[in-house]
């Protein structure tokens, strides 16, 4: 039942909601930047921006915070609002965290194939699951649920590129360049990220342009995603039916409103098997598990590093460690699961092991 509240009460609730989110931010330290030496490529250093250390375990914690603040300041969320999101998991985990913080009901509309540990994490933070068999229907179902509940659909795919202040204000791009400032090559030759909504690439690309850095932005994209096709041909807007990647969190069947190709310098399409092989190799190097989208990023980094070495270039390459691997124990780290899907990841793992070799 909706409670009638005065404007003063609503303003007071909103002010308190924003205070809680900002206080949570102040209690959280910045994420680490891990330096990875590459002895086989002298003069080139790889850095991993470790987003798994956020309170909800992934890069999407930043996005969820921005989306909630954006909706609050626009007056779209109130004390009785049911919040809806379409998400493959990580964004919904983070949004459930903030919804619980504000005492709001949260429903995640997810593909039925989403890894069970991600669903458990959403529920842990008080979120509800609405699974759909066809991932392409998540948008319409989210709009419908918002209408039925009188709630608000956060719509990360539309608002990701505008909810974050790309000029700075503690965004991921500003954090990367601040942490790189004392390194041997403080201005990266390349920054590499993936695209799920397109919000991260939009933020980083705009920040690079605004700060007038010589850095170039590369977006790694699953082969079975439309983004790299759209980058090459603006007329490519969606994938054929049945074409989908198994790498959660990145790649989409349609071009999302938040994807801004004009801020990107290069896109590299990556096979799912390569992403998983790279993920496995990096996990062995770090001594802890990372997620599949980090493997996608690493394959693109390997291509760029090899290109730099062939051209006699020196410099730094920075990419994102998007989330930890604990949510993928029953999928990407399960050999039987991979074998059943014909995913031959081992040759790709060997390639990345060579890249990361100590001698």
């Amino acid at each position: 039942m909706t409670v009638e509240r005065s404007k003063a009460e609503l303003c007071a609730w909103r002010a308190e909601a924003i205070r809680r989110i900002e206080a949570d931010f102040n209690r959280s330290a910045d994420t680490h930047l891990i330096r990875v030496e590459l002895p086989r490529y002298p003069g080139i250093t790889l850095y991993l921006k470790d987003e798994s250390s956020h309170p909800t375990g992934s890069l999407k914690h930043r996005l969820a915070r921005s989306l909630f603040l954006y909706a609050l300041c626009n007056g779209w969320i109130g004390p009785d609002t049911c919040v809806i999101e379409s998400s493959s998991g990580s964004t919904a985990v983070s949004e459930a965290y903030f919804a619980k913080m504000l005492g709001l009901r949260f429903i995640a509309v997810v593909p039925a194939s989403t890894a069970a540990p991600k669903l458990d994490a959403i529920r842990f933070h008080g979120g509800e699951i609405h699974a759909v068999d066809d991932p392409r229907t998540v948008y319409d179902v989210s709009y419908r649920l918002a209408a039925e509940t009188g709630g608000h659909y956060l719509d990360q795919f539309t608002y990701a590129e505008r909810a974050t202040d790309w000029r700075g204000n503690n965004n991921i791009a500003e954090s990367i360049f601040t942490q790189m400032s004392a390194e041997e090559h403080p201005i990266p030759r390349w920054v590499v990220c993936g695209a799920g909504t397109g919000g991260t690439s939009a933020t980083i690309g705009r920040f690079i342009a605004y700060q007038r850095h010589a850095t170039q932005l590369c977006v790694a994209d699953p082969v079975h995603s439309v983004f790299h096709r759209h980058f090459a041909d603006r007329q490519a807007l969606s994938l054929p039916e049945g074409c989908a990647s198994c790498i959660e969190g990145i790649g989409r069947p349609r071009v999302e409103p938040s994807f801004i190709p004009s801020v990107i310098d290069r896109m590299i399409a990556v096979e799912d098997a390569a992403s998983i092989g790279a993920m496995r190799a990096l996990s062995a190097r770090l001594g802890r598990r990372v997620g599949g989208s980090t493997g996608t990023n690493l394959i693109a980094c390997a291509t760029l590093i090899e290109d730099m070495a062939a051209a006699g270039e020196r410099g730094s390459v920075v990419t994102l460690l998007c989330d930890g691997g604990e949510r993928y124990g029953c999928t990407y780290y399960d050999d039987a699961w991979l074998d059943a899907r014909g995913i031959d990841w081992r040759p790709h793992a060997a390639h990345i092991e060579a890249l990361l070799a100590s001698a």
Side-chain angles (χ1 to χ4, degrees):
M1 179 182 296
T2 302
V3 179
E4 291 295 328
R5 301 175 190 268
S6 68
K7 185 174 182 179
E9 288 175 322
L10 291 173
C11 288
W13 180 87
R14 180 174 64 181
E16 173 61 13
I18 293 171
R19 185 201 66 77
R20 290 184 184 183
I21 292 174
E22 291 293 280
D24 179 76
F25 172 75
N26 287 337
R27 292 192 297 270
S28 302
D30 198 0
T31 59
H32 301 296
L33 188 66
I34 302 170
R35 180 182 170 108
V36 180
E37 302 290 347
L38 304 172
R40 293 187 58 200
Y41 298 93
I44 302 174
T45 308
L46 175 66
Y47 295 84
L48 308 174
K49 180 67 168 162
D50 186 4
E51 294 294 286
S52 71
S53 58
H54 283 294
T56 53
S58 82
L59 166 68
K60 298 300 185 179
H61 192 85
R62 295 179 187 269
L63 173 59
R65 180 172 59 224
S66 294
L67 287 169
F68 266 89
L69 289 173
Y70 190 71
L72 285 164
C73 292
N74 283 329
W76 297 341
I77 292 178
D80 306 304
T81 303
C82 177
V83 181
I84 318 292
E85 184 62 285
S86 50
S87 167
S88 65
S90 289
T91 302
V93 172
S94 300
E95 289 171 341
Y97 170 91
F98 286 107
K100 184 177 182 180
M101 180 187 298
L102 304 183
L104 301 175
R105 181 185 179 193
F106 177 76
I107 303 174
V109 181
V110 305
S113 60
T114 301
K118 284 189 176 181
L119 303 182
D120 291 341
I122 294 169
R123 294 188 183 101
F124 174 80
H125 292 296
E128 302 169 33
I129 304 297
H130 187 103
V132 298
D133 292 326
D134 184 350
R136 294 171 298 176
T137 67
V138 294
Y139 318 97
D140 291 340
V141 171
S142 295
Y143 281 118
R144 175 174 60 79
L145 289 174
E148 290 175 355
T149 62
H152 174 65
Y153 173 29
L154 285 169
D155 192 2
Q156 60 169 323
F157 300 108
T158 295
Y159 295 106
E161 60 90 5
R162 67 196 72 171
T164 299
D165 184 356
W166 49 267
R167 297 168 189 83
N169 191 25
N170 297 304
N171 69 36
I172 190 169
E174 183 180 54
S175 177
I176 287 170
F177 280 88
T178 298
Q179 290 178 321
M180 285 293 296
S181 62
E183 299 298 319
E184 181 182 4
H185 302 288
I187 303 301
R189 176 68 178 84
W190 289 96
V191 173
V192 178
C193 68
T197 62
T200 299
S201 58
T203 296
I204 295 173
R206 288 166 171 166
F207 183 87
I208 288 170
Y210 182 62
Q211 296 294 330
R212 304 179 299 282
H213 291 311
T215 303
Q216 290 187 288
L217 173 64
C218 175
V219 172
D221 197 37
V223 164
H224 298 301
S225 168
V226 74
F227 289 138
H228 66 91
R229 302 165 195 238
H230 181 69
F231 181 75
D233 176 7
R234 296 298 195 270
Q235 301 304 309
L237 300 176
S238 62
L239 290 179
E241 187 173 351
C243 186
S245 169
C246 74
I247 304 301
E248 294 184 18
I250 57 171
R252 299 298 300 167
R254 73 170 197 182
V255 178
E256 304 295 352
S258 282
F259 181 68
I260 312 296
S262 55
V263 305
I264 299 167
D265 297 291
R266 182 174 177 181
M267 291 197 71
I268 295 176
V270 181
E271 295 281 357
D272 289 353
S275 295
I276 292 169
M279 171 202 76
R280 291 284 196 105
L282 181 61
S283 296
R285 170 67 182 268
L286 296 179
R288 61 186 175 94
R289 289 180 169 183
V290 303
S293 58
T294 300
T296 310
N297 290 343
L298 188 54
I299 289 292
C301 289
T303 299
L304 297 172
I305 289 165
E306 289 160 0
D307 288 351
M308 288 173 65
E313 295 182 20
R314 301 168 65 87
S316 55
V317 177
V318 181
T319 193
L320 307 184
L321 195 166
C322 305
D323 62 357
E326 62 278 356
R327 295 171 180 170
Y328 308 101
C330 60
T331 54
Y332 308 150
Y333 288 96
D334 184 337
D335 289 350
W337 187 91
L338 295 170
D339 290 343
R341 287 157 180 77
I343 298 175
D344 186 10
W345 56 272
R346 293 173 181 82
H348 304 286
H351 175 210
I352 297 303
E353 287 167 2
L355 175 85
L356 302 175
S358 59

